[in-house]
Amino acid sequence: QSAVLLSTTPASAWLEQRVGVEPGAWYAASAVLRPDDGVATAWLRVAWYASPDASGSQLSTVDSEPVGAAAREEDVDAAAGFVDVASLPLAAVGGAGAGEVTLGPVQAPTSARSARLRLMLRPRTASRAELVVERAEFGAARAPAAPVEERPAGPPLAFESLLNGDFEDPADLAGWSRHGGVAQVATGLGEGRAALLQSASKATKWLEQRVGVTGGAWYALAAWLAPAGDADAAWLRFAWYASDDASGAQIGAADSPRVAGGAPAARVSVEAEAPPAARSARVRVLLRPRDAAPASLAIDDVSLARVVDVELEAAEPAAAPAGAAAARSRATPSRAASPKPELRRPAAELGAAQRLLRITELLPDPVDRPDGDHEWVEVTNLAGWAAPLAGATLRDGRRSIALPDIVLPPGGSVVVAGCCADLGEALVYHPPGGLGIALANAGGRLQLHAADGERLDAVTYGPDGAVAAGDGSSAKSPRSGHSLERVFDTAGVLRDARPAERPTPGRASIAGEVPPAV
């Protein structure tokens, strides 16, 4: 016998069953799915839960390849640069045809105790859509001996960060690849530039980037999204892979909340635990159209951060400096900043504690050579509370550096520096592998982001940059051996930006007293 799932509304529908699972164990699912022409897509989904009865919030999901009409409609507007595959047979488009659909083997998260197996149907319209289901199965599976590669394996993805997440790279969309639609760089949602993904067919489109991850670690993904036109929804997705380069079979996925088409620009985020076997991921920004009418999605400030925790009570106590001394932060050379063991803490909580971190000084053109070994950037906590640095990043548009997992006292500074920079008594962090970001002598742009992806500060310097209080991020490039000093008040407002003939790493100038620690 067969089950028949019938829909007469535009909303997704499904059949589901709850099952118990073993944490970290491997599972597989399969079913015969026969969608009619009213079905846009049909697929299998496993949703994982930490509770024993699949109640509460789901941890993550993993989906099979879809079948149905939309699975055959990559794009249909060749004149707009789209690829027309609507007339190709299903087997030629990738993904399973109507018939048996399989999912797995996939690994349950280490905190999973139960799961829901779902047989999903998404209609094309509000008219009748019918999905016939036969032989649905779910059960334990043998762990794969090795990832099944779609193509020869490429080099490992070493960095747990995104390239060009703010789309400011001069090489448009550098680091990103497109699946369906057309994409370009346009005016940003705020200042600067943003990506614009456009659609003229019913199929879901996305931009994606491949990154390396650590199995069992938690990650936070965030972005500003503004779907428009005939857009139905936009959202973010982690897709996890056991291979080094995000090839082969997907072993899990996690989605952010969705932004409805026509809604104001919104910042969405998702925190998810990488499956224990995961070694890489594809970070996706997705656009789902309502129909074949034009739809678009503006995307800006996409951020990826590893979610870590900080034991504030374990921080080395430091009294808040008083008066003029509030502008100073000193430490002995033995207190070089170094990461501590990682514990999970919500990125939103970390981000809130980091809101008054600022870039207070940088040396882009040191006298000593090579430049990269002697350059440095000073980050200061302007707040009246101790600020954890875990999850915060410095970025230059193409690369990023994770700040050390330490806590800065009120008015305290840390200097992120190349391997050979001589910084006296400053509290210094030397990132493994070098500074990693480009501080070009003639000019450049540097940004500071919180653990939840929010941009806290940015500085742009160049030969024609203005050097004036309150001018935003623009400043004139300092001469060789001089630093660019930026003075903020305790509310985080920039008051002055000036070249300093004598750099003062670790001793930031702050306009006004830092409030006592609270």
Side-chain angles (χ1 to χ4, degrees), residues 246-331:
S247 63
Q250 176 180 305
I251 61 172
D255 287 359
S256 73
R258 304 193 175 192
V259 181
R267 188 161 184 85
V268 297
S269 62
V270 54
E271 288 187 24
E273 181 186 12
R279 298 172 68 182
S280 59
R282 298 189 191 197
V283 169
R284 289 175 174 159
V285 187
L286 298 104
L287 165 66
R288 187 175 71 197
R290 287 194 184 93
D291 213 322
S296 65
L297 172 63
I299 309 160
D300 205 359
D301 283 340
V302 187
S303 65
L304 173 66
R306 186 165 174 174
V307 181
V308 294
D309 200 359
V310 177
E311 295 181 281
L312 295 178
E313 66 278 7
E316 184 173 326
R328 307 295 180 184
S329 173
R330 293 188 175 89

Coordinates of all heavy atoms in Angstrom, one line a residue, residues 246-331:
A246 N 34.6 20.1 1.4 CA 33.1 20.2 1.2 C 32.6 19.6 -0.1 O 31.7 20.0 -0.7 CB 32.7 21.7 1.2
S247 N 33.3 18.4 -0.5 CA 32.8 17.6 -1.6 C 32.2 16.4 -1.0 O 32.3 16.1 0.2 CB 33.9 17.3 -2.5 OG 34.9 16.5 -1.9
G248 N 31.6 15.6 -1.9 CA 31.0 14.3 -1.4 C 29.6 14.5 -0.9 O 28.9 15.5 -1.2
A249 N 29.1 13.6 -0.1 CA 27.8 13.6 0.4 C 27.6 14.5 1.6 O 28.5 14.5 2.5 CB 27.3 12.2 0.8
Q250 N 26.6 15.3 1.7 CA 26.3 16.2 2.8 C 25.9 15.3 4.0 O 25.1 14.4 3.9 CB 25.2 17.1 2.5 CG 24.7 18.0 3.6 CD 23.6 18.9 3.1 OE1 23.7 19.6 2.1 NE2 22.5 18.9 3.8
I251 N 26.5 15.6 5.2 CA 26.2 14.8 6.4 C 25.3 15.5 7.4 O 25.1 15.0 8.5 CB 27.5 14.3 7.0 CG1 28.3 15.4 7.5 CG2 28.3 13.4 6.1 CD1 29.5 15.0 8.4
G252 N 24.9 16.7 7.1 CA 24.0 17.4 8.0 C 23.8 18.9 7.5 O 24.5 19.3 6.6
A253 N 22.8 19.5 8.1 CA 22.6 20.9 7.8 C 21.9 21.6 8.9 O 21.3 21.0 9.8 CB 21.7 21.0 6.5
A254 N 22.0 22.9 9.0 CA 21.3 23.7 10.0 C 20.9 25.1 9.3 O 21.7 25.7 8.6 CB 22.1 24.0 11.2
D255 N 19.6 25.5 9.5 CA 19.1 26.7 8.9 C 18.8 27.8 9.9 O 18.5 27.5 11.1 CB 17.8 26.4 8.1 CG 18.1 25.6 6.8 OD1 19.2 25.3 6.5 OD2 17.1 25.3 6.1
S256 N 18.9 29.1 9.5 CA 18.5 30.2 10.3 C 17.0 30.4 10.1 O 16.4 29.8 9.3 CB 19.2 31.5 9.7 OG 18.7 31.9 8.5
P257 N 16.4 31.3 10.9 CA 15.0 31.7 10.7 C 15.0 32.4 9.3 O 16.0 32.9 8.8 CB 14.8 32.8 11.8 CG 15.7 32.4 12.9 CD 17.0 31.9 12.2
R258 N 13.8 32.4 8.7 CA 13.6 32.9 7.4 C 13.1 34.4 7.4 O 12.3 34.7 8.2 CB 12.7 32.0 6.6 CG 13.3 30.6 6.6 CD 12.6 29.7 5.6 NE 13.3 28.4 5.6 CZ 13.2 27.4 4.7 NH1 12.3 27.6 3.7 NH2 13.8 26.3 4.8
V259 N 13.6 35.1 6.4 CA 13.0 36.5 6.2 C 12.1 36.4 5.1 O 12.4 36.0 3.9 CB 14.2 37.5 5.9 CG1 13.6 38.9 5.7 CG2 15.2 37.5 7.0
A260 N 10.8 36.9 5.3 CA 9.8 36.8 4.3 C 10.0 37.9 3.2 O 10.6 38.9 3.5 CB 8.4 37.0 4.9
G261 N 9.6 37.5 2.0 CA 9.8 38.5 0.9 C 9.0 39.8 1.1 O 7.9 39.7 1.7
G262 N 9.6 40.9 0.8 CA 9.0 42.2 1.1 C 9.2 42.7 2.4 O 8.9 43.9 2.7
A263 N 9.7 41.9 3.4 CA 10.0 42.4 4.7 C 11.2 43.4 4.7 O 12.0 43.3 3.8 CB 10.2 41.3 5.7
P264 N 11.3 44.3 5.7 CA 12.5 45.2 5.8 C 13.7 44.3 6.0 O 13.7 43.2 6.4 CB 12.2 46.0 7.0 CG 10.7 45.9 7.3 CD 10.3 44.5 6.8
A265 N 14.8 44.9 5.6 CA 16.1 44.3 5.8 C 16.3 43.8 7.2 O 16.0 44.6 8.1 CB 17.3 45.2 5.4
A266 N 16.7 42.6 7.4 CA 16.8 42.0 8.8 C 18.1 41.3 8.9 O 18.6 40.7 7.9 CB 15.7 41.1 9.1
R267 N 18.7 41.3 10.1 CA 19.9 40.5 10.4 C 19.5 39.2 11.0 O 18.8 39.2 12.0 CB 20.9 41.2 11.3 CG 22.2 40.5 11.4 CD 23.3 41.3 12.0 NE 24.6 40.6 12.0 CZ 25.4 40.5 11.0 NH1 25.1 41.1 9.8 NH2 26.5 39.9 11.1
V268 N 19.8 38.1 10.3 CA 19.4 36.8 10.8 C 20.7 36.0 11.2 O 21.8 36.3 10.7 CB 18.6 36.0 9.8 CG1 17.3 36.7 9.5 CG2 19.4 35.8 8.5
S269 N 20.5 35.0 12.0 CA 21.7 34.2 12.5 C 21.3 32.8 12.8 O 20.1 32.6 13.1 CB 22.4 34.9 13.6 OG 21.5 35.0 14.8
V270 N 22.3 31.9 12.8 CA 22.0 30.5 13.2 C 23.3 30.1 13.9 O 24.4 30.3 13.5 CB 21.7 29.6 12.0 CG1 22.7 29.7 10.9 CG2 21.6 28.2 12.5
E271 N 23.1 29.4 15.1 CA 24.2 28.8 15.8 C 24.0 27.3 15.7 O 22.9 26.8 15.9 CB 24.3 29.2 17.2 CG 24.7 30.6 17.5 CD 24.9 30.9 18.9 OE1 25.1 30.0 19.7 OE2 24.9 32.1 19.3
A272 N 25.0 26.5 15.3 CA 24.9 25.1 15.1 C 26.1 24.4 15.5 O 27.2 24.9 15.3 CB 24.5 24.8 13.7
E273 N 26.0 23.1 15.9 CA 27.1 22.2 16.2 C 27.5 21.4 15.0 O 26.6 20.7 14.4 CB 26.8 21.3 17.4 CG 27.9 20.4 17.8 CD 27.4 19.4 18.8 OE1 26.2 19.2 19.1 OE2 28.3 18.7 19.4
A274 N 28.7 21.5 14.6 CA 29.2 20.6 13.4 C 29.1 19.2 13.8 O 29.5 18.8 15.0 CB 30.6 21.0 13.0
P275 N 28.6 18.3 13.0 CA 28.6 16.9 13.3 C 30.0 16.4 13.7 O 31.0 17.0 13.2 CB 28.1 16.2 12.0 CG 27.3 17.2 11.3 CD 28.0 18.5 11.7
P276 N 30.2 15.4 14.5 CA 31.5 14.9 14.9 C 32.4 14.6 13.8 O 33.6 14.8 13.8 CB 31.2 13.7 15.8 CG 29.8 13.9 16.3 CD 29.1 14.7 15.2
A277 N 31.8 14.1 12.7 CA 32.7 13.7 11.5 C 32.9 14.8 10.5 O 33.7 14.6 9.6 CB 32.0 12.5 10.8
A278 N 32.4 16.0 10.8 CA 32.5 17.1 9.8 C 33.9 17.7 9.8 O 34.5 17.9 10.9 CB 31.5 18.2 10.2
R279 N 34.4 17.9 8.6 CA 35.7 18.5 8.4 C 35.6 19.8 7.6 O 36.6 20.5 7.4 CB 36.7 17.6 7.8 CG 36.9 16.3 8.7 CD 37.7 15.3 8.1 NE 39.1 15.7 7.8 CZ 40.0 14.9 7.2 NH1 39.7 13.7 6.8 NH2 41.3 15.3 7.0
S280 N 34.5 20.0 7.0 CA 34.3 21.2 6.1 C 32.8 21.5 6.1 O 31.9 20.7 6.5 CB 34.8 21.0 4.7 OG 34.2 19.8 4.1
A281 N 32.5 22.7 5.5 CA 31.1 23.1 5.4 C 30.9 24.0 4.2 O 31.9 24.6 3.7 CB 30.6 23.8 6.6
R282 N 29.7 24.0 3.7 CA 29.3 25.1 2.7 C 28.4 26.0 3.4 O 27.4 25.6 3.9 CB 28.6 24.5 1.5 CG 29.5 23.5 0.7 CD 28.9 23.1 -0.6 NE 29.6 22.0 -1.2 CZ 29.4 21.6 -2.5 NH1 28.6 22.3 -3.3 NH2 30.1 20.6 -3.0
V283 N 28.8 27.3 3.4 CA 28.0 28.4 4.0 C 27.1 28.9 2.9 O 27.7 29.4 1.9 CB 28.8 29.4 4.6 CG1 28.0 30.7 5.0 CG2 29.5 28.9 5.9
R284 N 25.8 28.8 3.0 CA 24.9 29.2 1.9 C 24.0 30.4 2.3 O 23.5 30.4 3.5 CB 24.1 28.0 1.5 CG 24.9 27.0 0.7 CD 24.1 25.8 0.4 NE 24.9 24.9 -0.4 CZ 24.6 23.6 -0.6 NH1 23.6 23.0 0.1 NH2 25.4 22.8 -1.3
V285 N 23.7 31.3 1.4 CA 22.7 32.3 1.5 C 21.7 32.1 0.5 O 22.0 32.2 -0.7 CB 23.3 33.7 1.4 CG1 22.3 34.8 1.7 CG2 24.5 33.9 2.3
L286 N 20.4 31.7 0.9 CA 19.5 31.2 -0.1 C 18.3 32.1 -0.3 O 17.9 32.8 0.6 CB 18.9 29.8 0.4 CG 19.9 28.7 0.6 CD1 20.2 28.5 2.1 CD2 19.4 27.4 0.0
L287 N 17.8 32.1 -1.6 CA 16.7 32.9 -2.0 C 15.7 31.9 -2.6 O 16.0 31.2 -3.6 CB 17.1 33.9 -3.1 CG 15.9 34.6 -3.9 CD1 15.0 35.4 -2.9 CD2 16.5 35.4 -5.0
R288 N 14.5 31.9 -2.1 CA 13.4 31.0 -2.7 C 12.3 31.9 -3.3 O 11.7 32.7 -2.5 CB 12.8 30.1 -1.6 CG 11.8 29.1 -2.2 CD 11.3 28.1 -1.2 NE 10.4 28.8 -0.3 CZ 10.1 28.3 0.9 NH1 10.6 27.1 1.3 NH2 9.2 28.9 1.7
P289 N 12.1 31.9 -4.6 CA 11.1 32.7 -5.2 C 9.7 32.1 -5.0 O 9.6 30.9 -4.7 CB 11.4 32.7 -6.7 CG 12.8 32.1 -6.8 CD 12.9 31.2 -5.6
R290 N 8.7 33.0 -5.1 CA 7.3 32.4 -5.1 C 6.9 31.8 -6.4 O 6.2 30.8 -6.4 CB 6.3 33.6 -4.8 CG 6.3 34.1 -3.4 CD 5.1 35.0 -3.1 NE 5.2 35.6 -1.8 CZ 5.7 36.7 -1.5 NH1 6.2 37.5 -2.5 NH2 5.8 37.2 -0.2
D291 N 7.4 32.4 -7.5 CA 7.0 31.9 -8.8 C 8.2 32.3 -9.8 O 9.3 32.6 -9.3 CB 5.7 32.6 -9.2 CG 4.9 31.6 -10.1 OD1 5.5 30.9 -10.9 OD2 3.6 31.6 -10.0
A292 N 7.8 32.3 -11.1 CA 8.9 32.6 -12.1 C 9.0 34.1 -12.3 O 9.8 34.5 -13.1 CB 8.6 31.9 -13.4
A293 N 8.3 35.0 -11.6 CA 8.4 36.4 -11.7 C 9.7 36.9 -11.1 O 10.3 36.2 -10.3 CB 7.3 37.1 -11.0
P294 N 10.3 38.1 -11.5 CA 11.6 38.5 -11.0 C 11.6 38.6 -9.5 O 10.6 39.2 -8.9 CB 11.7 39.9 -11.7 CG 10.9 39.8 -12.9 CD 9.7 39.0 -12.6
A295 N 12.6 38.1 -8.8 CA 12.8 38.2 -7.4 C 14.3 38.5 -7.2 O 15.1 38.2 -8.0 CB 12.4 36.9 -6.7
S296 N 14.6 39.1 -6.0 CA 16.0 39.5 -5.7 C 16.2 39.4 -4.2 O 15.3 39.4 -3.4 CB 16.3 40.9 -6.2 OG 15.5 41.9 -5.5
L297 N 17.5 39.3 -3.9 CA 17.9 39.3 -2.5 C 19.2 40.1 -2.4 O 20.2 39.8 -3.0 CB 18.2 37.8 -2.1 CG 18.8 37.6 -0.7 CD1 17.9 38.2 0.4 CD2 19.1 36.2 -0.4
A298 N 19.1 41.1 -1.5 CA 20.3 41.9 -1.2 C 20.9 41.2 0.1 O 20.2 40.9 1.0 CB 20.0 43.3 -0.9
I299 N 22.3 41.1 0.0 CA 23.0 40.4 1.1 C 24.2 41.2 1.5 O 24.9 41.7 0.7 CB 23.5 39.0 0.6 CG1 22.4 38.2 -0.1 CG2 24.2 38.2 1.7 CD1 23.0 37.1 -1.0
D300 N 24.4 41.4 2.8 CA 25.5 42.2 3.3 C 26.0 41.7 4.6 O 25.3 41.0 5.4 CB 25.1 43.7 3.4 CG 26.3 44.6 3.3 OD1 27.5 44.1 3.1 OD2 26.1 45.8 3.4
D301 N 27.3 41.9 4.9 CA 28.0 41.6 6.2 C 27.7 40.2 6.6 O 27.2 39.9 7.7 CB 27.5 42.6 7.2 CG 28.2 44.0 7.1 OD1 29.3 44.0 6.5 OD2 27.7 44.9 7.6
V302 N 28.1 39.2 5.8 CA 27.9 37.8 6.1 C 29.1 37.5 7.0 O 30.3 37.7 6.7 CB 27.9 36.9 4.9 CG1 27.7 35.5 5.3 CG2 26.9 37.4 3.9
S303 N 28.9 36.9 8.2 CA 30.0 36.6 9.1 C 29.9 35.2 9.6 O 28.8 34.7 9.8 CB 29.9 37.6 10.3 OG 28.7 37.4 11.1
L304 N 31.0 34.6 9.8 CA 31.1 33.2 10.4 C 32.1 33.3 11.6 O 33.2 33.8 11.4 CB 31.6 32.3 9.3 CG 31.9 30.8 9.8 CD1 30.6 30.1 10.3 CD2 32.6 30.0 8.7
A305 N 31.7 32.8 12.7 CA 32.5 32.8 13.9 C 32.4 31.5 14.6 O 31.3 30.9 14.7 CB 32.2 34.0 14.8
R306 N 33.4 31.0 15.2 CA 33.4 29.9 16.0 C 32.9 30.3 17.4 O 33.4 31.3 18.0 CB 34.8 29.2 16.1 CG 34.8 27.9 16.9 CD 36.1 27.2 16.7 NE 36.1 26.0 17.5 CZ 37.1 25.1 17.4 NH1 38.1 25.2 16.5 NH2 37.1 24.0 18.2
V307 N 31.9 29.6 17.9 CA 31.3 30.0 19.2 C 32.1 29.4 20.3 O 32.2 28.2 20.4 CB 29.8 29.5 19.3 CG1 29.2 29.9 20.6 CG2 29.0 30.0 18.1
V308 N 32.6 30.2 21.2 CA 33.4 29.8 22.3 C 32.8 30.5 23.6 O 32.0 31.3 23.5 CB 34.9 30.2 22.1 CG1 35.4 29.4 21.0 CG2 35.0 31.7 21.9
D309 N 33.3 30.0 24.7 CA 32.9 30.6 26.0 C 34.1 31.2 26.7 O 35.2 30.8 26.4 CB 32.2 29.5 26.8 CG 31.4 30.1 27.9 OD1 31.3 31.4 28.0 OD2 30.7 29.4 28.7
V310 N 33.8 32.0 27.6 CA 34.9 32.6 28.5 C 34.5 32.5 29.9 O 33.3 32.8 30.2 CB 35.1 34.1 28.1 CG1 36.2 34.7 29.0 CG2 35.5 34.2 26.6
E311 N 35.3 32.0 30.8 CA 35.0 32.0 32.2 C 35.5 33.3 32.8 O 36.6 33.6 33.1 CB 35.8 30.9 32.9 CG 35.3 29.5 32.4 CD 36.1 28.4 33.1 OE1 37.2 28.1 32.7 OE2 35.5 27.8 34.1
L312 N 34.5 34.3 32.9 CA 34.9 35.6 33.4 C 35.5 35.6 34.8 O 36.4 36.3 35.1 CB 33.6 36.5 33.4 CG 33.0 36.8 32.0 CD1 31.7 37.6 32.2 CD2 34.0 37.4 31.1
E313 N 35.0 34.7 35.6 CA 35.5 34.6 37.0 C 37.0 34.1 37.0 O 37.7 34.3 38.0 CB 34.7 33.7 37.9 CG 34.7 32.3 37.5 CD 33.7 31.9 36.4 OE1 33.2 32.9 35.8 OE2 33.5 30.8 36.1
A314 N 37.4 33.5 35.9 CA 38.8 33.0 35.8 C 39.8 34.0 35.3 O 41.0 33.8 35.3 CB 38.8 31.7 35.0
A315 N 39.2 35.2 34.8 CA 40.1 36.2 34.3 C 41.0 36.8 35.4 O 40.6 36.9 36.5 CB 39.3 37.3 33.7
E316 N 42.2 37.1 35.0 CA 43.1 37.7 36.0 C 42.6 39.0 36.5 O 42.2 39.9 35.6 CB 44.5 37.9 35.3 CG 45.5 38.4 36.2 CD 46.9 38.5 35.5 OE1 47.1 37.6 34.7 OE2 47.7 39.4 35.8
P317 N 42.4 39.2 37.7 CA 41.7 40.5 38.2 C 42.6 41.7 37.9 O 43.8 41.6 37.9 CB 41.6 40.3 39.7 CG 42.6 39.2 40.1 CD 42.8 38.3 38.9
A318 N 41.9 42.7 37.5 CA 42.6 44.0 37.2 C 41.7 45.1 37.5 O 40.6 45.2 37.0 CB 43.0 44.1 35.7
A319 N 42.1 46.0 38.4 CA 41.3 47.1 38.8 C 41.2 48.1 37.6 O 42.1 48.3 36.9 CB 41.9 47.8 40.0
A320 N 40.0 48.7 37.5 CA 39.9 49.7 36.5 C 40.7 50.9 36.8 O 40.7 51.5 37.9 CB 38.4 50.2 36.4
P321 N 41.5 51.4 35.8 CA 42.4 52.6 36.1 C 41.5 53.8 36.4 O 40.4 53.9 35.9 CB 43.1 52.7 34.8 CG 43.0 51.4 34.1 CD 41.7 50.8 34.5
A322 N 42.0 54.8 37.1 CA 41.3 56.0 37.4 C 41.8 57.2 36.7 O 43.0 57.2 36.4 CB 41.3 56.2 38.9
G323 N 41.0 58.2 36.4 CA 41.4 59.4 35.9 C 42.1 59.2 34.5 O 41.7 58.5 33.7
A324 N 43.2 60.0 34.4 CA 44.0 59.9 33.1 C 44.5 58.6 32.9 O 44.7 58.2 31.7 CB 45.1 61.0 33.1
A325 N 44.7 57.8 33.9 CA 45.3 56.4 33.7 C 44.3 55.5 33.1 O 44.6 54.4 32.6 CB 45.7 55.8 35.1
A326 N 43.0 55.9 32.9 CA 42.0 55.1 32.2 C 42.4 54.9 30.8 O 41.9 54.0 30.1 CB 40.7 55.8 32.3
A327 N 43.2 55.8 30.3 CA 43.6 55.6 28.9 C 44.8 54.7 28.7 O 45.3 54.6 27.6 CB 44.0 57.0 28.3
R328 N 45.2 54.0 29.8 CA 46.4 53.2 29.7 C 46.1 51.7 30.0 O 45.3 51.4 30.8 CB 47.5 53.7 30.7 CG 47.8 55.2 30.5 CD 48.4 55.5 29.2 NE 48.7 56.9 29.1 CZ 49.2 57.5 28.0 NH1 49.4 56.7 26.9 NH2 49.4 58.8 27.9
S329 N 46.8 50.8 29.3 CA 46.7 49.4 29.7 C 48.1 48.8 29.5 O 48.7 48.8 28.5 CB 45.8 48.7 28.7 OG 45.8 47.3 28.9
R330 N 48.7 48.4 30.7 CA 50.1 47.9 30.7 C 50.1 46.5 31.1 O 49.3 46.0 32.0 CB 51.0 48.8 31.6 CG 51.2 50.2 31.1 CD 52.2 50.9 32.0 NE 52.5 52.2 31.4 CZ 51.9 53.3 31.8 NH1 50.9 53.2 32.6 NH2 52.2 54.5 31.3
A331 N 51.1 45.7 30.6 CA 51.3 44.3 31.0 C 52.7 44.0 30.8 O 53.4 44.6 30.0 CB 50.4 43.4 30.2

